């Protein structure tokens, strides 16, 4: 997982290098939590841009981890933007109503 | 001068003054009338190289000698590329001519022997394919679909079909060890013996026992007593299936043959017994398993030789997907490129054994059972599903394949997350497809688990419910059976229906 602050948008960019699945969701959850606590909360950052453009599959465990991140940010008054590339991932995000709690942008 | 030297060596010579004249002589007398071509490299209109190129295309078995005053490296390279058998530097010495001729004549004879053998093997292979095609060996409408791919031109796999006027039928499938011409001869011998004895009314068990004695006592004699060139053990695994549609039963004799399966109307494969005993030819008396099975409405029977299992393993796909792909490709004139890597002969037979024919025939692509284990390598298993799916249906859209794989993953993880005793300690996954490849069905069965959809609003799903929600939302349609412990997820493979999806 790579993260980088984008000053112009005041958003922290977190890139997921591939699929987000039951086999790596816990690792993502822990890394995301650490990044959010150190870089997002308590400064001028507006939120997180979660870059899933390299993912071709996100399963329910991956979705649960994303929802955990969204809730955590939301608790601090921060927003989440999810960038997806694969149409299948986009459809799963819509099916599971992720678009109601975060902004989904399809590249 | 050369003509006189050749005559002095006792050869018959036909002389041509140009490339054109030589071509006319070949066309008039035929290439078989000559044993060697000797030509000068430099001639007035066309060169000796032009003649060689033409000859290589017309009759590659006729060897040639080319002569020139200039033996430089470039010329020799060109001669080799054009197919020259030998080179003589001018002026030609009698001794050199004599030894070159001896080599070249031998080369022509060897090439012609090889060509004749190759032609005979191809012919034998065509005869074998005809023998393995029941529609060409019986007057009855055959309920068999046969797909046969010998590794070489001819091989050791065979199928014999004996229909009876009252609807009963006998199918005997056999596989001789090895996949060369010798295996093809043993296979043909077995088929001939089988046909003669079956028509006499001899029972298949007795035929198997007789052939076993023939192999054990004759061909597989102890070292020193075996016929020439047959010191290795030759074996034959065989399976005889007697089908009686009226009484809805079948009787299977098996000697070292892979497991045969009944295919239910739904595409579910049901194994008929186990791998049967030892193959014929190993020990006397023969070890033959003997079992009876019921036949249900719409049942088919599928049989394959062990070459299919080895090839599926080599490709990293399921046997079912390979069988499906072979059956789908059987009408094509040319063998697909991937098939050339098969390590053994391949024979797949599907027999319609029930009097009723289902409206939609489904075929399995994968059937796997996963134990409930602490460490389940879901990514590895999913990679195998993906490989199997893309192999069986090469033109499946990646979007639809991902849909199917995700839903299968979710269902399996849900099943395996439950405790062992509740699920019976296992989870079964089955992929099936209809004959026209319009719809893929993935069925996940886990005794004791309910795959019912979550009853809550999608906005308020718990972490556990989200996976279940996915498996009910993404497929084109979903149904449950066995009190909810089996989920059937259907995915349309038709692009038109794809467009209607959200």
């Amino acid at each position: 997982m790579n993260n980088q602050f984008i000053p112009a948008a005041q958003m922290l960019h977190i890139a997921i290098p591939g699929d987000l699945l039951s086999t790596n969701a816990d690792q993502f959850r822990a890394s995301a939590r650490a990044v959010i606590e150190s870089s997002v909360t308590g400064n001028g950052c507006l939120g997180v841009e979660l870059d899933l453009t390299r993912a071709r599959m996100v399963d329910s465990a991956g979705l649960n981890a994303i929802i955990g991140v969204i809730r955590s940010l939301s608790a601090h008054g921060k927003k989440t933007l999810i960038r997806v590339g694969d149409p299948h991932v986009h459809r799963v995000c819509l099916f599971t109503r992720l678009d109601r709690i975060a902004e989904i942008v399809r590249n | 001068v050369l003509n006189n030297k050749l005559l002095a060596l006792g050869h018959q010579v036909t002389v041509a003054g140009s490339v054109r004249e030589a071509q006319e002589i070949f066309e008039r007398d035929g290439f078989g009338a000559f044993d060697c071509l000797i030509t000068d490299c430099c001639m007035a209109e066309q060169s000796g190289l032009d003649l060689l190129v033409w000859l290589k295309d017309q009759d590659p078995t006729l060897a040639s000698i080319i002569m020139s005053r200039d033996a430089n490296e470039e010329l020799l390279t060109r001669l080799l590329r054009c197919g020259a058998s030998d080179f003589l530097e001018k002026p030609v010495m009698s001794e050199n001519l004599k030894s070159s001729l001896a080599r070249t004549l031998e080369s022509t004879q060897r090439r012609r022997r090889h060509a004749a053998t190759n032609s005979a093997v191809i012919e034998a292979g065509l005869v074998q394919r005809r023998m393995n095609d029941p529609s060409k060996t019986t007057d009855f409408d055959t309920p068999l679909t046969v797909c046969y791919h010998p590794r070489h031109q001819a091989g050791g796999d065979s199928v014999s079909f004996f229909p009876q006027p009252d609807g009963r039928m006998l199918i005997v499938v056999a596989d001789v060890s090895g996949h060369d011409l010798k295996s093809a001869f043993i296979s043909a011998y077995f088929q001939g013996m089988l046909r003669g004895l079956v028509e006499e009314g001899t029972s298949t068990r007795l035929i198997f026992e007789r052939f076993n004695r023939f192999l054990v006592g004759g061909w597989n004699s102890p070292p020193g007593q075996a016929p020439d060139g047959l010191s290795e053990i030759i074996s034959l695994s065989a399976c005889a299936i007697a089908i009686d549609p009226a009484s809805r039963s079948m009787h299977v004799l098996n000697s070292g043959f892979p497991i045969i399966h009944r295919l239910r109307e739904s595409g579910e494969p049901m194994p008929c017994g186990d791998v049967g005993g030892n193959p014929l030819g190993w020990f006397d008396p023969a070890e033959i398993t003997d079992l009876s099975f019921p036949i249900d409405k719409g049942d088919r029977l599928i049989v394959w030789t062990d070459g299919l299992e080895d090839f599926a393993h080599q490709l990293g796909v399921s046997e079912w997907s390979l069988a499906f792909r072979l059956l789908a490709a059987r009408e094509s004139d040319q063998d697909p490129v991937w098939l050339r890597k098969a390590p053994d002969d391949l024979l797949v037979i599907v027999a319609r054994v029930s009097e009723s024919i289902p409206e939609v025939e489904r075929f399995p692509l994968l059937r796997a059972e996963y134990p409930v284990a602490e460490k389940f390598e879901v990514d590895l298993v999913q990679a195998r599903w993906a490989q199997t799916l893309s192999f069986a249906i090469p033109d499946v859209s990646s979007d639809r394949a991902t849909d199917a794989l995700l839903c299968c993953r979710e269902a399996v993880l849900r099943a395996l997350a439950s405790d062992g005793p509740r699920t019976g300690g296992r989870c079964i996954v089955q992929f099936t497809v209809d004959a026209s490849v319009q719809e893929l069905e993935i069925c996940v069965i886990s005794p004791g688990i309910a795959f019912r959809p979550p009853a809550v609003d999608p906005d308020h799903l718990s972490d556990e419910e989200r996976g279940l929600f996915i498996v009910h939302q993404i497929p084109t349609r979903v149904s449950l059976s066995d009190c909810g412990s089996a989920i059937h997820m259907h995915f349309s493979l038709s692009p038109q229906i794809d467009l209607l999806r959200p």
Side-chain angles (χ1 to χ4, degrees):
Chain A
M1 190 182 88
N2 296 318
N3 55 289
Q4 178 195 359
F5 185 68
I6 306 168
Q10 291 186 294
M11 295 284 275
L12 179 74
H13 180 92
I14 297 179
I16 318 292
D19 295 345
L20 191 52
L21 300 167
S22 55
T23 36
N24 61 2
D26 286 345
Q27 189 192 347
F28 163 74
R29 199 194 313 261
S31 306
R33 186 178 294 136
V35 169
I36 289 163
E37 281 172 6
S38 64
S39 310
V40 180
T41 55
N43 63 25
C45 180
L46 290 179
V48 165
E49 179 182 301
L50 211 52
D51 184 352
L52 281 169
T53 51
R54 288 183 180 175
R56 291 190 60 240
M57 185 183 277
V58 176
D59 70 3
S60 63
L63 288 168
N64 290 339
I66 293 172
I67 289 165
V69 168
I70 296 169
R71 284 187 182 151
S72 168
L73 287 165
S74 180
H76 291 96
K78 311 288 182 187
K79 69 170 184 175
T80 310
L81 183 148
I82 301 170
R83 202 171 283 283
V84 296
D86 190 275
H88 169 81
V89 173
H90 185 239
R91 208 166 59 244
V92 168
C93 290
L94 299 186
F95 269 135
T96 51
R97 314 277 178 99
L98 223 57
D99 56 326
R100 297 202 184 181
I101 52 173
E103 187 183 350
I104 314 273
V105 176
R106 188 173 162 193
N107 272 17
Chain B
V1 177
L2 182 67
N3 190 10
N4 289 338
K5 284 181 180 174
L6 289 167
L7 290 171
L9 288 169
H11 298 292
Q12 287 182 321
V13 183
T14 304
V15 180
S18 66
V19 171
R20 181 77 205 123
E21 193 183 341
Q23 289 170 336
E24 283 171 2
I25 290 170
F26 277 129
E27 280 164 359
R28 185 191 66 211
D29 296 351
F31 295 94
F34 301 95
D35 298 315
C36 176
L37 166 73
I38 304 175
T39 177
D40 210 322
C41 187
C42 300
M43 286 187 280
E45 291 171 355
Q46 287 174 287
S47 74
L49 292 179
D50 293 325
L51 183 57
L52 286 190
V53 171
W54 177 82
L55 180 67
K56 197 176 166 185
D57 183 52
Q58 298 290 318
D59 179 10
T61 65
L62 182 62
S64 55
I65 300 169
I66 200 150
M67 303 178 298
S68 175
R69 286 188 189 286
D70 182 19
N72 63 55
E73 193 178 326
E74 188 194 341
L75 174 68
L76 293 175
T77 308
R78 287 173 63 202
L79 288 176
L80 284 173
R81 283 189 183 144
C82 293
S85 308
D86 210 348
F87 173 79
L88 285 175
E89 194 167 7
K90 288 170 86 174
V92 176
M93 310 303 288
S94 291
E95 276 310 303
N96 291 350
L97 177 65
K98 190 178 173 185
S99 58
S100 175
L101 259 179
R103 284 194 299 274
T104 311
L105 293 174
E106 166 60 25
S107 175
T108 298
Q109 284 177 3
R110 195 173 53 245
R111 290 181 193 184
R112 285 181 174 160
R113 278 198 303 270
H114 282 178
T117 307
N118 198 35
S119 170
V121 172
I122 290 170
E123 200 64 31
L126 289 174
V127 170
Q128 192 182 46
R129 280 172 194 260
R130 191 180 164 84
M131 286 169 73
N132 280 344
D133 182 348
S135 67
K136 293 191 169 65
T137 53
T138 70
D139 295 333
F140 287 80
D141 282 342
T142 168
L144 265 61
T145 303
V146 177
C147 179
Y148 177 50
H149 289 277
R151 187 180 175 212
H152 304 298
Q153 281 91 346
D157 294 359
S158 69
V159 55
S160 305
F161 176 57
F162 304 94
Q164 304 294 315
D166 61 2
R168 287 180 301 140
M169 53 187 156
L170 172 68
I171 303 166
V172 181
V173 192
D175 177 3
V176 178
S177 53
H179 37 70
D180 50 16
L181 202 52
K182 185 171 64 190
S183 307
F185 278 119
I186 300 280
S187 176
Y189 182 82
F190 174 72
Q191 269 181 298
M193 175 178 162
L194 175 74
R195 188 159 292 279
L197 291 174
V198 165
E199 282 173 9
E200 269 183 8
T202 311
S203 76
T204 41
R205 170 174 279 279
L206 201 57
I207 297 169
F208 277 20
E209 286 169 351
R210 273 195 200 178
F211 201 73
N212 184 59
R213 280 200 296 278
F214 162 74
L215 288 177
V216 174
W219 294 81
N220 296 336
S221 305
Q225 296 172 34
D228 290 345
L230 288 166
S231 53
E232 85 269 40
I233 298 287
I234 292 174
S235 61
L236 177 124
S237 43
C239 178
I241 308 146
I243 299 154
D244 184 357
S247 69
R248 290 187 171 185
S249 67
M250 64 177 181
H251 185 207
V252 178
L253 293 184
N254 191 334
S255 278
F257 206 80
I259 301 172
I260 64 170
H261 293 81
R262 264 193 310 145
L263 288 183
R264 311 293 301 274
E265 196 171 340
S266 64
E268 181 188 355
M270 308 283 286
C272 298
D274 206 340
V275 178
N278 296 320
L280 304 178
W282 280 13
F283 303 108
D284 196 15
E287 191 181 318
I288 304 167
T289 61
D290 187 339
L291 294 164
S292 292
F293 299 92
I295 295 172
D296 284 342
K297 187 182 161 204
D299 273 1
R300 287 153 292 156
L301 194 69
I302 182 160
V303 184
W304 57 59
T305 49
D306 63 359
L308 183 123
E309 293 174 0
D310 295 341
F311 192 29
H313 182 72
Q314 182 182 307
L315 292 168
V317 301
S318 72
E319 295 95 339
W320 296 106
S321 64
L322 177 55
F324 178 75
R325 187 83 189 272
L326 283 169
L327 290 163
R330 75 183 187 283
E331 299 297 343
S332 66
D333 293 334
Q334 254 189 327
D335 285 353
V337 176
W338 56 267
L339 198 47
R340 294 178 198 158
K341 294 179 185 165
D344 195 354
D345 304 328
L346 301 171
L347 177 65
V348 184
I349 298 145
V350 178
R352 210 181 295 281
V353 293
S354 159
E355 283 171 332
S356 80
I357 299 169
E359 202 172 307
V360 179
E361 286 189 335
R362 301 196 69 82
F363 196 92
L365 301 182
L366 179 138
R367 169 99 178 172
E369 195 168 313
Y370 304 111
V372 172
E374 243 175 57
K375 191 167 167 58
F376 177 66
E377 302 273 6
V378 67
D379 289 345
L380 285 178
V381 171
Q382 184 184 311
R384 184 172 160 80
W385 298 338
Q387 178 102 345
T388 285
L389 195 55
S390 64
F391 178 79
I393 315 173
D395 52 356
V396 66
S397 79
S398 66
D399 196 25
R400 184 45 49 91
T402 312
D403 279 352
L405 295 172
L406 175 66
C407 291
C408 189
R409 179 187 179 101
E410 292 292 350
V412 168
L413 286 178
R414 178 171 177 80
L416 296 183
S418 308
D419 60 277
R422 272 183 68 203
T423 59
R426 70 204 168 98
C427 158
I428 295 166
V429 172
Q430 180 179 294
F431 288 20
T432 58
V433 71
D434 58 305
S436 53
V437 200
Q438 292 293 304
E439 189 190 67
L440 169 73
E441 180 188 333
I442 296 181
C443 177
V444 178
I445 306 162
S446 190
I449 294 297
F451 285 107
R452 289 192 187 86
V456 296
D457 184 285
D459 290 331
H460 299 97
L461 292 169
S462 68
D463 283 1
E464 289 73 32
E465 289 166 334
R466 193 159 283 107
L468 203 48
F469 183 74
I470 285 174
V471 301
H472 280 277
Q473 285 299 309
I474 289 185
T476 314
R477 67 188 168 93
V478 177
S479 59
L480 300 174
S481 64
D482 297 339
C483 304
S485 66
I487 184 164
H488 306 263
M489 298 172 284
H490 300 259
F491 300 87
S492 166
L493 300 173
S494 156
Q496 287 84 356
I497 293 174
D498 264 3
L499 293 174
L500 302 176
R501 301 180 74 241

